[in-house]
Amino acid sequence: MSLLLKNGQVYYNDDFQDLDILIEGNKIKKVGKNLDDNADEIQDCSGLSIFPGFIDTHVHFREPGDEKKETLESGSRAAVLGGMTGVFEMPNTNPIVDNLERLNDKLSRAKNRMHCNYAFYFGATNENSDNLDILKGLDGCCGVKMFVGSSTGDLLVKDSFYIEQVIKNSPRIVSIHSEDEDMLLARKNVIEEGNVKSHYIWRSVECAVSSTKKLIDFANKHKKKIHILHITTKDEVNYLKDNQSDYVTFETTPNHISLYGPDIYDQIGTFAQINPPIRTKEHLEGIWKGIDENIISIIGSDHSPHTKEQKNQPYPKSPSGMPGTQTIGLIMTDYYLKNKISLKKLVDLLCVNPCKLFGIKDRGEIKEGNIADLTIYNLNKSFTIKDEWIASNCGWTPFNGKELKVSPFGTFVQGNKVVWDQKLVNEAKGQAYAFN
């Protein structure tokens, strides 16, 4: 099966160019001007912008164990409707993914059900910290996830000995939720019942910073790669800037560069509650500086859905987390259109760097021979994010009512047109990522 995409504005060699793309099977066969190859189907892309497939490297799809909030099917449907072509899914499900049997269970659940491509994290525990060699060269597994501060679920490695063991012994990159667990426990007395603004007082800047400094030390000591997730403080950004390391990369989320306290807590209450928390504006500005100065390499959504009923409970009974996989690509593209980031930075954060850092095969740019995963937006048409548009089982977004200068349009996965004109037009076509 061949498909010719004509008249689109294609991101090629770090800029938009008027080019055509010929897809054969799941691969890009040709990229060039005025291609006239005989194709089984010709698709006019006038007025549309075509990016190499955006990837959300941080999602929690809740299956198995909590399918009311999300499933691999519903979460991936939300992802492709927002332009995402692939996701990395986290291991803090029920049961947790801390052995090969459970990892293989997730891979078999995903097969023929996920609309986008996928890979799953393996959860680090004290017990498996010296037995991570099993992950060498394993396709469908993007790395090891370690919670050094407790969040949703039961995964936790809090003692320095085991934290160091995981980093030292993992043959794959270790992605880490970085908050100091002992500090979190010691500070529980500052939690105020019914006052969600006490959330970011309890989970303080120092909880994040002290943990992150320790993790960077371990990575440097053992010359092993770590990826610290959802950075929330200007202090962490400044520390890595002053102590640059070949072994450490940072991620942040659209939530932490778009929303800030105390305002967002006044506006949406416990729906703004996430771990690590949304902080004050000075931290948001410091994180933006980290993006500008290439201290932050990747934007992940940390898509962590809970039902409205659960989120409406009084703090601290309300769970932490918000959805985001359907909105991440649009929000970041809107920042490009508003001159907050360059076009190249947009594509680096959502596509190039995820492929480079994690070693995803045959992706990361639109070029002959690469797999045809494509994100297609209309940059000439505005769009308002609304709860009703959200395909996640949770049915809400913290960005409800947000107006964007960009509209979702199409998503290609493995050469298949999966979304077109904002509608799902194909059955599940996602496949497990292969890694270098």
Side-chain angles (χ1 to χ4, degrees):
M1 175 74 187
S2 59
L3 171 66
L4 185 58
L5 302 180
K6 295 283 292 179
N7 310 317
Q9 181 179 238
V10 177
Y11 182 82
Y12 191 75
N13 289 339
D14 299 341
D15 206 354
F16 280 133
Q17 299 186 39
D18 295 328
L19 296 168
D20 301 337
I21 302 172
L22 179 66
I23 298 169
E24 265 192 18
N26 69 343
K27 296 267 177 80
I28 295 169
K29 180 83 184 294
K30 266 190 202 174
V31 183
K33 283 192 181 296
N34 305 316
L35 296 183
D36 57 1
D37 299 62
N38 287 324
D40 298 323
E41 185 187 343
I42 296 173
Q43 182 71 64
D44 183 32
C45 297
S46 299
L48 300 174
S49 298
I50 305 175
F51 297 91
F54 289 170
I55 300 166
D56 186 354
T57 52
H58 191 163
V59 304
H60 301 261
F61 283 170
R62 307 300 193 206
E63 181 185 344
D66 220 340
E67 286 86 349
K68 194 175 173 189
K69 297 177 184 179
E70 201 73 284
T71 65
L72 296 174
E73 188 281 322
S74 66
S76 63
R77 178 161 26 101
V80 294
L81 286 166
M84 294 290 115
T85 64
V87 295
F88 290 177
E89 206 268 341
M90 291 295 173
N92 56 330
T93 40
N94 185 14
I96 56 177
V97 180
D98 61 350
N99 60 45
L100 282 184
E101 185 187 350
R102 288 176 183 169
L103 182 70
N104 286 326
D105 173 60
K106 269 204 182 170
L107 284 164
S108 65
R109 285 168 180 269
K111 201 172 183 185
N112 302 322
R113 281 181 65 226
M114 286 188 70
H115 300 279
C116 61
N117 298 313
Y118 50 85
F120 296 103
Y121 272 107
F122 187 88
T125 62
N126 291 356
E127 292 72 28
N128 66 25
S129 61
D130 59 352
N131 187 31
L132 296 169
D133 264 4
I134 53 172
L135 303 179
K136 251 183 203 158
L138 203 63
D139 284 338
C141 175
C142 44
V144 172
K145 170 70 182 286
M146 177 162 59
F147 288 85
V148 302
S150 53
S151 192
T152 303
D154 299 325
L155 269 177
L156 182 64
V157 181
K158 78 180 187 68
D159 298 327
S160 290
F161 172 79
Y162 290 110
I163 292 170
E164 184 172 4
Q165 282 269 98
V166 170
I167 292 170
K168 181 176 94 174
N169 293 329
S170 176
R172 311 284 288 269
I173 194 164
V174 182
S175 294
I176 307 172
H177 178 124
S178 175
E179 290 178 286
D180 187 294
E181 180 66 10
D182 291 333
M183 277 190 190
L184 288 176
L185 292 172
R187 293 178 53 77
K188 279 203 162 176
N189 62 318
V190 306
I191 293 173
E192 291 177 39
E193 289 202 13
N195 179 14
V196 70
K197 285 181 200 166
S198 66
H199 190 63
Y200 68 91
I201 310 298
W202 166 43
R203 301 184 89 107
S204 66
V205 170
E206 190 49 39
C207 281
V209 175
S210 68
S211 170
T212 294
K213 285 180 177 176
K214 180 168 74 175
L215 294 168
I216 292 171
D217 286 346
F218 286 150
N220 289 334
K221 177 180 172 183
H222 296 290
K223 297 182 165 51
K224 297 301 282 283
K225 291 200 168 165
I226 64 170
H227 182 55
I228 301 182
L229 303 168
H230 40 43
I231 290 293
T232 64
T233 73
K234 66 179 176 42
D235 308 61
E236 289 165 288
V237 169
N238 291 338
Y239 185 79
L240 187 58
K241 185 183 174 183
D242 295 339
N243 300 272
Q244 298 261 343
S245 168
D246 291 338
Y247 306 105
V248 182
T249 50
F250 276 4
E251 168 212 85
T252 195
T253 77
N255 316 325
H256 293 103
I257 57 173
S258 306
L259 312 171
Y260 57 88
D263 305 44
I264 190 61
Y265 298 99
D266 287 329
Q267 289 158 18
I268 64 172
T270 47
F271 286 78
Q273 178 193 331
I274 55 177
N275 299 333
I278 293 167
R279 305 190 191 277
T280 52
K281 199 169 188 180
E282 64 175 318
H283 290 290
L284 177 146
E285 288 166 352
I287 297 166
W288 267 114
K289 209 166 170 226
I291 292 171
D292 294 341
E293 295 175 353
N294 299 318
I295 307 300
I296 288 168
S297 311
I298 288 179
I299 305 285
S301 74
D302 190 13
H303 175 89
S304 308
H306 300 283
T307 66
K308 288 180 186 175
E309 294 74 34
Q310 290 164 327
K311 290 296 279 185
N312 266 319
Q313 293 176 99
Y315 182 79
K317 285 184 179 165
S318 45
S320 293
M322 52 175 63
T325 197
Q326 195 167 339
T327 50
I328 177 175
L330 295 163
I331 285 170
M332 295 311 298
T333 304
D334 189 58
Y335 281 130
Y336 153 63
L337 292 171
K338 288 173 178 164
N339 297 315
K340 192 81 175 137
I341 51 172
S342 68
L343 178 60
K344 183 178 186 303
K345 177 67 62 83
L346 167 69
V347 180
D348 284 353
L349 290 166
L350 288 176
C351 177
V352 177
N353 292 346
C355 291
K356 268 189 196 161
L357 288 179
F358 289 89
I360 303 174
K361 281 185 179 170
D362 303 325
R363 292 174 173 88
E365 62 177 310
I366 293 173
K367 71 169 187 181
E368 290 166 19
N370 266 5
I371 290 170
D373 290 347
L374 304 170
T375 297
I376 303 177
Y377 290 154
N378 187 336
L379 305 190
N380 307 301
K381 191 177 176 191
S382 61
F383 181 76
T384 303
I385 296 172
K386 291 191 175 147
D387 283 348
E388 310 76 271
W389 174 67
I390 295 298
S392 163
N393 282 353
C394 74
W396 65 275
T397 167
F399 298 106
N400 182 43
K402 186 175 177 67
E403 291 184 15
L404 307 174
K405 289 185 165 190
V406 51
S407 287
F409 193 89
T411 311
F412 276 74
V413 175
Q414 299 277 347
N416 299 287
K417 190 198 297 177
V418 170
V419 171
W420 198 253
D421 200 8
Q422 300 184 17
K423 292 177 190 69
L424 197 66
V425 294
N426 218 323
E427 67 265 29
K429 294 292 184 185
Q431 291 184 22
Y433 280 124
F435 295 88
N436 295 321

